[in-house]
Amino acid sequence: MTPRIVEVRRNILKHNDELARRLRTQFQEAGTLVVNVVSSPGSGKTALLERTLTQLRQSCRPAALVGDLATDNDAARLARSGAPVRQITTGTLCHLEAHMIETAIAEWNLSEIDVLFIENVGNLVCPSSWDLGEALRVVLMAVTEGEDKPLKYPTIFNSADLAMLTKIDLAQAVEFDKRAAETNVHSVRPGMPILEISTKNGEGFDDWLNLLTAHTYAHT
Amino acid sequence: MTPRIVEVRRNILKHNDELARRLRTQFQEAGTLVVNVVSSPGSGKTALLERTLTQLRQSCRPAALVGDLATDNDAARLARSGAPVRQITTGTLCHLEAHMIETAIAEWNLSEIDVLFIENVGNLVCPSSWDLGEALRVVLMAVTEGEDKPLKYPTIFNSADLAMLTKIDLAQAVEFDKRAAETNVHSVRPGMPILEISTKNGEGFDDWLNLLTAHTYAHT
């Protein structure tokens, strides 16, 4: 039975990759920077994006897509920023796929969006294999989760462009070993930039916004 | 393409369920209580089991299987308790399946094991559909992850027998709303018992060990 599902899965992934490539071209032509945000459940994706959207709206035109199994709570939270936001409900599916992105943006005029965030389903395994046509993949890791996550979930860290240590304000309370975490990130993905951030007290936000702005097409 | 993979997936799940049923009978006949522990990455499964195995060894014969994508760090940690421990490395697979359990226990004499813990892959989505033949499914939710997880990952909470609020010592630091969390758990799984626990300071451990002891077959 195994060979059959492996083959079917390979075809689906190939189909996804082709569509993701087309989406990537479409985003580049429209000048839309697409950022795919992945992490465990509860690492702070929504809180990060809530603050990011609100602050970015002062200098550019951000938007967001939000993947969730069951609720649209996160989309409602993000929409309060005033930015365009759409929910993608995945049911029992553990990740977003390129065709869901294609459908979700169908009614949007991409040339009016400078940065499009995609908040993936909270999961450190499945989203790693699914290209969504993004320019940047950002993996969040809350200090409350421990330092070992890159070693235990290497594929998603290896496929990311930027790692963020979130909830950094709690680092001392949970005795987080920053040096060990960085060593683990770099053993899986040598040289990947690592940002330390706290959505609560704003630490690291300037670096994050500067990094995003530097990557936007409007800036170049 | 979708109908084909759905059909393949359904067959695999059916096959898993049949094997899980056989395993469940085998565990009952041997008098082995099997506990499947599921949660996000970093919710504290390994730390919980480390302390649990050490304390349980004073009164009964526990053992553990540990599922991980890539490392055997967790198995090494648990083995320090002195209890029999085996690692199951899943590669890129986001959950454990019944046939992996069957293989992993092949060389063990179940009649010498009173409680067998299965630490699943850190994932709040995929493990929910895979019966491992367990008697108890325990879902962990760290207070650092926020109160909304049951609403966003309903299937895994709905399929569990017990919820544990872990890292409860951090509740105040992260302004965790216990009442809201309990409401959310019970909206998905009415009446499910909820334990509050801290592996760090031992809070809630007596209740947890008493609950386990009450469920063991040796006890009845």
Side-chain angles (χ1 to χ4, degrees):
Chain A
M1 198 177 288
T2 310
R4 194 176 158 204
I5 201 166
V6 168
E7 186 204 329
V8 174
R9 195 176 135 76
R10 204 173 286 146
N11 284 338
I12 290 180
L13 272 173
K14 193 178 158 213
H15 179 74
N16 183 81
D17 284 350
E18 286 164 358
L19 177 54
R21 267 200 292 278
R22 287 203 299 278
L23 285 174
R24 185 168 286 111
T25 306
Q26 195 182 336
F27 293 140
Q28 281 168 343
E29 286 173 356
T32 306
L33 173 71
V34 177
V35 184
N36 181 3
V37 183
V38 295
S39 83
S40 298
S43 301
K45 291 184 293 303
T46 313
L48 173 78
L49 291 184
E50 208 171 1
R51 187 163 180 153
T52 304
L53 288 173
T54 304
Q55 294 197 220
L56 270 188
R57 284 193 78 224
Q58 296 165 13
S59 57
C60 72
R61 299 164 301 176
L65 300 175
V66 186
D68 255 318
L69 300 194
T71 70
D72 62 357
N73 298 354
D74 290 354
R77 275 173 68 188
L78 295 187
R80 271 185 249 134
S81 68
V85 174
R86 290 203 64 177
Q87 177 75 37
I88 303 174
T89 307
T90 65
T92 56
L93 199 66
C94 55
H95 58 272
L96 291 176
E97 300 183 11
H99 70 89
M100 300 172 182
I101 307 302
E102 184 184 38
T103 305
I105 60 169
E107 288 166 22
W108 277 351
N109 182 353
L110 286 180
S111 66
E112 294 171 359
I113 300 174
D114 298 316
V115 189
L116 173 62
F117 296 96
I118 303 174
E119 180 180 339
N120 220 310
V121 176
N123 192 315
L124 274 185
V125 187
C126 314
S128 56
S129 319
W130 299 86
D131 185 0
L132 304 180
E134 71 265 27
L136 279 181
R137 185 177 289 192
V138 179
V139 60
L140 270 56
M141 165 182 167
V143 299
T144 49
E145 296 166 22
E147 302 83 3
D148 60 349
K149 294 302 156 288
L151 303 179
K152 295 178 67 181
Y153 303 87
T155 313
I156 207 153
F157 280 86
N158 184 259
S159 70
D161 303 291
L162 172 71
M164 292 182 93
L165 303 179
T166 59
K167 309 191 187 184
I168 199 77
D169 53 290
L170 293 171
Q172 213 171 352
V174 298
E175 295 165 32
F176 184 73
D177 184 341
K178 225 182 279 184
R179 187 74 68 90
E182 288 168 0
T183 303
N184 291 342
V185 169
H186 287 146
S187 74
V188 176
R189 180 79 151 97
M192 176 154 67
I194 303 176
L195 282 185
E196 299 171 16
I197 204 156
S198 164
T199 302
K200 203 170 173 188
N201 68 23
E203 187 182 336
F205 249 81
D206 286 348
D207 290 342
W208 164 234
L209 296 178
N210 288 340
L211 184 147
L212 286 172
T213 308
H215 277 84
T216 53
Y217 298 96
H219 177 81
T220 54
Chain B
M1 196 176 291
T2 310
R4 196 176 158 204
I5 200 165
V6 167
E7 187 204 328
V8 175
R9 194 176 137 75
R10 204 173 287 144
N11 283 338
I12 290 180
L13 272 173
K14 194 180 158 210
H15 180 75
N16 183 81
D17 284 351
E18 286 164 0
L19 177 54
R21 266 198 295 274
R22 286 204 300 279
L23 285 174
R24 185 169 286 111
T25 306
Q26 195 183 335
F27 293 139
Q28 281 169 344
E29 286 173 358
T32 306
L33 174 71
V34 177
V35 184
N36 181 2
V37 183
V38 294
S39 83
S40 298
S43 301
K45 292 184 292 302
T46 313
L48 173 78
L49 292 184
E50 209 172 0
R51 187 164 181 151
T52 304
L53 289 172
T54 304
Q55 294 198 218
L56 270 188
R57 286 193 75 222
Q58 297 166 14
S59 57
C60 72
R61 299 165 299 175
L65 300 176
V66 185
D68 254 318
L69 300 195
T71 71
D72 62 358
N73 298 354
D74 290 355
R77 275 173 66 187
L78 295 187
R80 270 184 250 134
S81 68
V85 174
R86 290 204 63 177
Q87 177 75 37
I88 304 174
T89 306
T90 65
T92 56
L93 199 67
C94 54
H95 58 271
L96 292 175
E97 301 183 9
H99 69 90
M100 300 173 181
I101 307 303
E102 185 184 38
T103 305
I105 60 169
E107 288 165 22
W108 278 350
N109 182 352
L110 286 179
S111 66
E112 295 171 0
I113 300 174
D114 297 316
V115 189
L116 173 63
F117 296 96
I118 303 174
E119 180 180 339
N120 220 310
V121 176
N123 192 315
L124 273 186
V125 186
C126 314
S128 55
S129 319
W130 300 86
D131 185 359
L132 304 180
E134 71 265 25
L136 279 182
R137 185 177 291 192
V138 180
V139 60
L140 271 55
M141 166 181 164
V143 298
T144 49
E145 296 166 22
E147 302 83 3
D148 60 349
K149 295 301 157 286
L151 303 179
K152 296 177 68 181
Y153 302 89
T155 311
I156 207 152
F157 280 86
N158 184 258
S159 70
D161 304 291
L162 171 71
M164 292 181 92
L165 303 179
T166 59
K167 309 191 186 183
I168 199 77
D169 54 290
L170 293 171
Q172 213 170 356
V174 299
E175 295 165 33
F176 184 72
D177 184 340
K178 227 181 278 183
R179 186 74 67 90
E182 288 168 2
T183 304
N184 291 342
V185 168
H186 289 145
S187 75
V188 176
R189 180 80 151 97
M192 176 155 65
I194 303 176
L195 283 185
E196 299 171 16
I197 205 156
S198 164
T199 302
K200 202 170 171 186
N201 68 23
E203 187 181 337
F205 250 81
D206 286 347
D207 289 342
W208 164 233
L209 297 178
N210 289 339
L211 184 146
L212 286 172
T213 309
H215 277 85
T216 52
Y217 298 95
H219 178 82
T220 53

